[in-house]
Amino acid sequence: MLEIKNRIEAAKANLRKAENAKTVAETQKATAEQSLEEVKAKMTEAGVTPETIQDEISKLEEKLQADLSKVERLIPTDI
């Protein structure tokens, strides 16, 4: 009878742990979903979508490289 009682208590403890893990996971999911919506809103403000952002990043990187090259050419090197 003691063994059955111990098994029941262990099952209860495991159930509580599972319930706590579920609560934590649900909270983390809600936070992640909120963060995702905030990022999407910022992307919309910037005029990009998840589908077009990589192209926009590439364009900006190319422009940055071109502008940096222009600045480097304007700096005298024979001083």
Side-chain angles (χ1 to χ4, degrees), residues 35-49:
S35 295
L36 176 62
E37 291 306 313
E38 290 171 2
V39 168
K40 284 181 179 179
K42 288 180 183 178
M43 289 173 68
T44 300
E45 289 175 16
V48 295
T49 66

Side-chain angles (χ1 to χ4, degrees), residues 39-75:
V39 168
K40 284 181 179 179
K42 288 180 183 178
M43 289 173 68
T44 300
E45 289 175 16
V48 295
T49 66
E51 293 78 21
T52 62
I53 193 157
Q54 191 56 50
D55 289 339
E56 188 65 27
I57 290 171
S58 295
K59 288 177 191 174
L60 291 171
E61 286 175 342
E62 289 173 14
K63 181 166 178 11
L64 178 63
Q65 291 291 338
D67 289 348
L68 182 56
S69 293
K70 184 177 180 180
V71 167
E72 289 172 338
R73 284 192 305 272
L74 293 174
I75 297 174

